[in-house]
Amino acid sequence: MSVFISPSIMCCEFDAYDAFIKSFEDKKIEVIHFDVMDGHYVDNIMLGTNTYKELKKKTDIPVDLHFMCESPERYIDMFQPVAGDWVCFHPETTHHPHALLQKIKSLGCKAGYVLNPGTPLSYLDEVLDLLDYIMIMSVNPGFAGQTMVDSHLDKLSRISKVVEKSGRKIDIIIDGNTTPDNGRNMVKHGATGLVVGTSSLLKDVDNFNNDYETYIRYINQGREKV
């Protein structure tokens, strides 16, 4: 099965949302990435409830709400995710990550953990039965345009082995610096999905329309794992 991509709406020009969404629908994009930043867990502040509600009015494509927030349960209540959407958070930001995963699934959403470059894999040990996906940050979170940290591919390989050993269908999605060459290596090391932004595809609508198929073909050349 081909690796899927998740375009980051944060990287799209606001006045071009309609054009981007039409392109996403034409290309049968599986899920749109949506960053929520509180200015505390990360320095940046991004994408609020009104933007989410407007996006849901514009398309039926599921939205992946990535909460880069302290106490993400508060923000999840504010956003009121729609059944069928994806919801992920950083496990170190809440006192009860297991309970929060259960809550997300009770809403009819896919539940995910986000692991930063410095977050240990041990956070996965007791929750693999609840996870639908793991998002791995190849950069430290907060701002677009960063370069991949050196240890990322090794960490990705280790997580891929954990998922394979679990015997469960858990997607492994990479967020950060998914350039064509990086993306192909990420797929080779176990990624099943890639969040794409300005470093890869979303420079503008025309670039996305023109380069999407080429990007997909190129990254899928990495499907033979190391």
Side-chain angles (χ1 to χ4, degrees):
M1 185 172 65
S2 177
V3 173
F4 68 89
I5 71 163
S6 177
S8 174
I9 201 70
M10 178 184 80
C11 297
C12 300
E13 296 175 1
F14 184 77
D15 58 1
Y17 269 22
D18 288 345
F20 271 113
I21 289 169
K22 182 180 185 306
S23 184
F24 299 162
E25 291 176 339
D26 290 344
K27 293 170 176 55
K28 302 188 186 308
I29 292 297
E30 185 167 335
V31 62
I32 297 172
H33 190 73
F34 190 104
D35 286 310
V36 182
M37 308 182 197
D38 65 354
H40 296 283
Y41 180 64
V42 294
D43 289 338
N44 207 354
I45 298 175
M46 272 291 169
L47 301 186
T49 54
N50 287 343
T51 305
Y52 171 67
K53 290 174 183 176
E54 288 301 315
L55 183 60
K56 294 302 297 182
K57 291 177 183 177
K58 292 177 182 293
T59 184
D60 292 327
I61 299 174
V63 173
D64 178 14
L65 288 158
H66 172 193
F67 287 94
M68 286 179 263
C69 308
E70 296 178 0
S71 301
E73 56 275 10
R74 293 176 53 234
Y75 295 92
I76 291 171
D77 285 342
M78 289 169 60
F79 274 79
Q80 298 182 331
V82 174
D85 280 347
W86 304 26
V87 179
C88 59
F89 63 94
H90 298 251
E92 69 275 18
T93 61
T94 181
H95 294 301
H96 302 290
H98 187 279
L100 187 52
L101 289 172
Q102 290 178 312
K103 177 177 179 176
I104 291 167
K105 293 180 78 72
S106 76
L107 298 174
C109 298
K110 288 190 176 184
Y113 259 4
V114 190
L115 302 184
N116 292 337
T119 306
L121 271 60
S122 57
Y123 273 103
L124 301 173
D125 288 346
E126 306 300 332
V127 298
L128 286 170
D129 60 321
L130 289 173
L131 291 175
D132 297 298
Y133 65 112
I134 302 166
M135 185 167 294
I136 307 172
M137 300 298 299
S138 69
V139 300
N140 285 299
F143 293 90
Q146 301 181 65
T147 56
M148 182 177 71
V149 299
D150 293 338
S151 60
H152 167 69
L153 293 177
D154 174 69
K155 185 171 190 174
L156 171 55
S157 292
R158 288 185 284 127
I159 291 174
S160 180
K161 290 175 183 176
V162 169
V163 169
E164 186 175 357
K165 186 177 179 180
S166 77
R168 296 194 64 246
K169 169 69 169 67
I170 301 173
D171 276 308
I172 302 174
I173 305 171
I174 312 303
D175 187 358
N177 201 219
T178 54
T179 64
D181 285 338
N182 284 346
R184 185 161 69 167
N185 277 328
M186 291 165 178
V187 171
K188 184 178 292 186
H189 286 76
T192 63
L194 303 176
V195 175
V196 297
T198 51
S199 67
S200 45
L201 279 179
L202 298 180
K203 298 175 182 69
D204 53 53
V205 177
D206 288 339
N207 182 82
F208 184 80
N209 284 327
N210 294 333
D211 292 352
Y212 171 80
E213 297 294 346
T214 301
Y215 180 87
I216 289 292
R217 283 195 301 270
Y218 188 73
I219 63 170
N220 273 289
Q221 289 173 9
R223 291 186 66 202
E224 184 176 339
K225 292 185 179 180
V226 294

